[in-house]
Amino acid sequence: MTGSPNALCFGDACPASGAPCHVQVEANGLTISLKAGDGAQHAEAVPFSDIAVSAGGLDHDQLVVKWAGAHGARTLYLKDPEVIRAFRAAAPGHLNQPFEQAAEQVRQVRHRRRVAWGLTGGALIALVLGLWFGSDILVDVAVDRIPVEWEQKLGESAYRDFLAQQQIVKEGPAVAAVGEITQRLATEIPDNPYKFDVTVVRSDVVNAFALPGGYIVVFTGLMKKAESGEEVAGVLSHELNHVLQRHGLERMVKSLGLLAVVSILVGDQQGLIGLMKQVGVELLSLKFGRAQETEADLTGLRLLNWAKIDPAGMIAFFERLSEKDDGRVEWLSTHPMSAGRAERLKTELAGLPKKSPEPFTFQWKAVQESLGAVPKAS
Amino acid sequence: MKSEVLYPGAFPMVRVDLTAGEHIKAESGAMVAASPTIDIESKMEGGFLGALSRKFLTGEKFFFQTLRASRGPGEVLLAPTVPGEIVVLELDGVNEYMVQKDGFLAGADAVKIESQMQSLSRGLLGGEGFFILKISGKGTLILNSFGAIHKIELKPDQEYIVDNSHLVAWSATTSYNIERAASGWVASFTSGEGFVCRFRGPGVVYIQSRNPGGFGNWIRQFIPVSE
């Protein structure tokens, strides 16, 4: 054989896996040398006029050369790029079109493959993005399917656990005032499935929080800081709306992850109870998201308006809180800055129907004084 | 390098005779016994990234072992993990074989092993996975199968249909398309074949007489489930 093999020859006398042969490009054809069955070298000159070319092989990346020679139909598989280039340069005009077609075929196969992988990659990315951003929708759907009774059981156990370690204000003007505010707000909620349970806890923390199922805790620190019943009503209205919008559940389902969402959607509620018990302990540490805070603010404001409690109190209170907010970056906090909240509320208030506020039956000053004077609860 | 398949059938072993200084590469764990003149080294074929891609993409072993007759001539006995036949091929430098990921047992040092991505439809439905081994170069190549190995010889443009998961190796000059086994979707799956590969020659296709996945499903029913 002249030169090392650079192609595979298929035909009647060749083995099925192809006979290695050497292809030489000449001026007017190809010279193919291969070892015949008897071991002797055998060279065949094939003029260009007898040759047909196409693309072939597993990845359509080989040049297939066919001709009918003295030994029957022969097929040659060429892969060596240098031989292919030389062949193409030497080939006469009538082979240009087949060559172009073969090249086009190779390009098409590669293009199709790239498109297919691109589409798959795109679909995967879309799926991940969809789960990432669409998870809110999934969470909403899942939360809608959780019965209120569950929510109450869940909230109640966390509520009892929390209160067991706190000093509860059991009676007095503060409890009565909070009760009155809650009553006025709750009667304005259409189809309210929750029975609100509000407890005043003795602590200097300026805060109040809501647990799923309608359990609300107000700290005396917040009541001392508030300058009117309307301000406390603003905070309570905000917290009631966290309950009504089931924000606590949403956070829980989110932190339980997609697994929980799926198990709710497919109805495997047994597994979910187990999961929820695990995180029930962490319920108190759950923070609401920024969107949830804004939602509770706006719906809270509307509720105040319906209940004929002056919404200006809520806004004033947030403005006062915002004075402590200096230096906090809104984006980094799970709570939007109070100043921003107050602004948003003012805009919302302007769009609400005007209602003349009705005052509370209690005197706020007396309530605050009672907080200073009330003996320590046991 | 000379090789001989011992105990042909379900539990074969291959004996490779190495002259002094000669070496072969084999799937990690393939060596059963060797002369004391043989040194075993482990090597990441194709460099670290090549080995990594082979490991993660084809599921083949990260390391190949190199068996070197460094202290004089000797022999090595090699065997695959699964019961099944062994076939010895000679690569001439022009021939290329695509080998399904568990098919490689051993090869001469000049045999080149790369992992190659299949097209989407072949990867998804062909039963060989998205990545297969492309084996080229010169010298002896030893493949193993699950069950017996059967060789199908295809003339140019001759077609043959192989159930997916029965492929061991095929020449790069063949091409194949994935299609349904029967003309209807329901019949395709109720016939138990699902998808098949339609091969078109010229070239050689090596198939295995048993389907590893099917065997796995069958044996699963006998495995006691622990609580």
Side-chain angles (χ1 to χ4, degrees):
Chain A
M1 203 180 292
T2 51
S4 59
N6 56 11
L8 282 170
C9 183
F10 296 89
D12 287 342
C14 304
S17 57
C21 59
H22 180 79
V23 175
Q24 180 101 33
V25 181
E26 314 279 356
N28 46 9
L30 300 178
T31 303
I32 296 115
S33 358
L34 76 160
K35 219 180 238 179
D38 53 9
Q41 285 292 337
H42 175 88
E44 184 179 356
V46 185
F48 285 131
S49 54
D50 293 358
I51 286 175
V53 295
S54 58
L58 193 67
D59 291 322
H60 269 77
D61 56 354
Q62 307 198 34
L63 185 69
V64 183
V65 181
K66 290 188 178 188
W67 75 95
H71 307 277
R74 284 277 166 100
T75 308
L76 208 62
Y77 273 71
L78 268 173
K79 211 179 174 180
D80 191 331
E82 274 176 38
V83 180
I84 295 176
R85 255 196 301 276
F87 183 11
R88 202 171 171 182
H94 82 275
L95 282 178
N96 277 347
Q97 204 193 343
F99 256 121
E100 203 38 62
Q101 275 173 354
E104 181 58 30
Q105 237 178 325
V106 174
R107 276 195 291 271
Q108 269 179 7
V109 167
R110 288 190 183 153
H111 177 72
R112 263 210 302 274
R113 187 177 279 206
R114 270 201 294 270
V115 168
W117 281 107
L119 285 178
T120 314
L124 276 178
I125 292 169
L127 185 72
V128 170
L129 288 180
L131 283 178
W132 186 263
F133 292 109
S135 62
D136 283 355
I137 299 164
L138 278 180
V139 165
D140 285 350
V141 173
V143 164
D144 278 349
R145 296 188 55 154
I146 298 176
V148 172
E149 297 82 63
W150 277 33
E151 204 183 339
Q152 281 168 338
K153 268 187 205 136
L154 205 71
E156 193 184 350
S157 69
Y159 187 56
R160 299 276 165 247
D161 287 350
F162 175 76
L163 292 182
Q165 301 158 19
Q166 304 295 328
Q167 289 187 342
I168 300 168
V169 181
K170 286 187 174 155
E171 52 194 0
V175 176
V178 167
E180 184 184 333
I181 297 169
T182 311
Q183 184 57 36
R184 277 195 48 190
L185 290 170
T187 48
E188 292 303 318
I189 302 166
D191 305 324
N192 176 20
Y194 300 100
K195 207 180 133 289
F196 294 110
D197 189 341
V198 185
T199 303
V200 181
V201 165
R202 184 170 292 280
S203 161
D204 286 338
V205 181
V206 183
N207 202 2
F209 66 82
L211 288 167
Y215 302 95
I216 293 160
V217 172
V218 183
F219 294 103
T220 51
L222 181 127
M223 298 183 78
K224 284 180 190 165
K225 177 98 179 161
E227 285 176 3
S228 70
E230 281 74 12
E231 292 189 6
V232 177
V235 173
L236 276 174
S237 185
H238 170 95
E239 295 301 334
L240 291 190
N241 275 287
H242 273 316
V243 174
L244 293 171
Q245 315 289 341
R246 308 184 98 179
H247 287 160
L249 272 189
E250 282 177 15
R251 297 305 287 180
M252 278 186 75
V253 170
K254 251 186 200 168
S255 68
L256 284 172
L258 210 59
L259 189 72
V261 175
V262 172
S263 69
I264 294 167
L265 291 180
V266 301
D268 175 21
Q269 296 180 337
Q270 281 304 318
L272 190 76
I273 293 176
L275 272 172
M276 282 204 164
K277 275 187 183 148
Q278 276 178 17
V279 294
V281 196
E282 299 161 30
L283 203 60
L284 292 169
S285 61
L286 280 177
K287 281 203 170 126
F288 296 116
R290 290 160 41 82
Q292 292 180 330
E293 290 295 340
T294 307
E295 191 183 10
D297 278 355
L298 296 181
T299 50
L301 187 81
R302 277 176 226 145
L303 183 58
L304 285 174
N305 198 44
W306 282 322
K308 295 181 183 163
I309 300 171
D310 189 0
M314 186 183 195
I315 296 171
F317 194 61
F318 282 172
E319 274 175 338
R320 194 128 25 79
L321 283 185
S322 78
E323 289 162 15
K324 282 169 65 183
D325 268 349
D326 291 342
R328 273 175 64 191
V329 181
E330 184 178 357
W331 185 251
L332 293 177
S333 160
T334 55
H335 283 66
M337 259 173 80
S338 298
R341 289 168 85 169
E343 285 310 312
R344 211 170 292 130
L345 288 177
K346 278 181 189 164
T347 321
E348 173 73 13
L349 183 59
L352 288 179
K354 282 270 176 291
K355 290 199 170 151
S356 51
E358 288 173 12
F360 292 112
T361 57
F362 53 80
Q363 291 297 314
W364 187 246
K365 273 274 172 282
V367 171
Q368 281 193 316
E369 274 165 21
S370 80
L371 283 176
V374 170
K376 280 191 174 180
S378 52
Chain B
M1 165 178 171
K2 275 196 318 200
S3 61
E4 186 192 355
V5 178
L6 310 171
Y7 319 111
F11 300 98
M13 196 153 67
V14 64
R15 189 183 69 218
V16 180
D17 293 317
L18 297 174
T19 57
E22 213 176 13
H23 58 282
I24 57 162
K25 51 191 157 212
E27 189 193 17
S28 136
M31 194 205 76
V32 177
S35 309
T37 49
I38 308 285
D39 280 339
I40 304 171
E41 302 154 15
S42 88
K43 194 176 159 192
M44 292 178 286
E45 179 74 15
F48 180 75
L49 285 179
L52 201 69
S53 72
R54 201 174 49 246
K55 166 76 189 159
F56 286 106
L57 303 182
T58 66
E60 255 289 345
K61 305 266 169 57
F62 188 73
F63 290 97
F64 281 126
Q65 55 181 212
T66 300
L67 300 155
R68 191 185 299 272
S70 36
R71 288 186 302 278
E75 64 172 38
V76 184
L77 298 177
L78 301 169
T81 316
V82 295
E85 278 190 337
I86 291 175
V87 66
V88 179
L89 306 178
E90 278 302 323
L91 298 184
D92 47 34
V94 194
N95 258 318
E96 277 178 359
Y97 285 97
M98 315 311 286
V99 177
Q100 62 98 348
K101 54 187 188 291
D102 296 322
F104 175 81
L105 181 64
D109 193 55
V111 167
K112 227 172 92 188
I113 303 163
E114 301 161 79
S115 38
Q116 176 164 335
M117 189 162 79
Q118 298 217 82
S119 74
L120 196 62
S121 59
R122 285 174 184 167
L124 215 54
L125 308 172
E128 323 304 326
F130 283 107
F131 293 86
I132 51 175
L133 300 175
K134 178 175 161 184
I135 300 187
S136 55
K138 215 166 177 168
T140 306
L141 168 66
I142 305 172
L143 302 178
N144 68 270
S145 69
F146 184 61
I149 290 189
H150 178 71
K151 181 181 181 183
I152 299 168
E153 300 188 339
L154 297 176
K155 291 196 169 61
D157 294 329
Q158 189 188 347
E159 292 190 344
Y160 214 89
I161 289 170
V162 180
D163 184 20
N164 54 5
S165 317
H166 279 273
L167 289 170
V168 178
W170 57 99
S171 345
T173 52
T174 61
S175 69
Y176 74 90
N177 294 323
I178 307 281
E179 50 187 57
R180 282 172 296 168
S183 54
W185 280 104
V186 175
S188 282
F189 286 95
T190 50
S191 71
E193 302 302 337
F195 291 97
V196 292
C197 308
R198 180 186 288 265
F199 271 90
R200 174 187 281 261
V204 180
V205 180
Y206 290 92
I207 59 170
Q208 53 194 6
S209 64
R210 292 292 180 273
N211 170 347
F215 181 70
N217 285 338
W218 177 79
I219 208 164
R220 193 172 299 145
Q221 59 187 321
F222 302 113
I223 298 175
V225 181
S226 58
E227 282 301 313

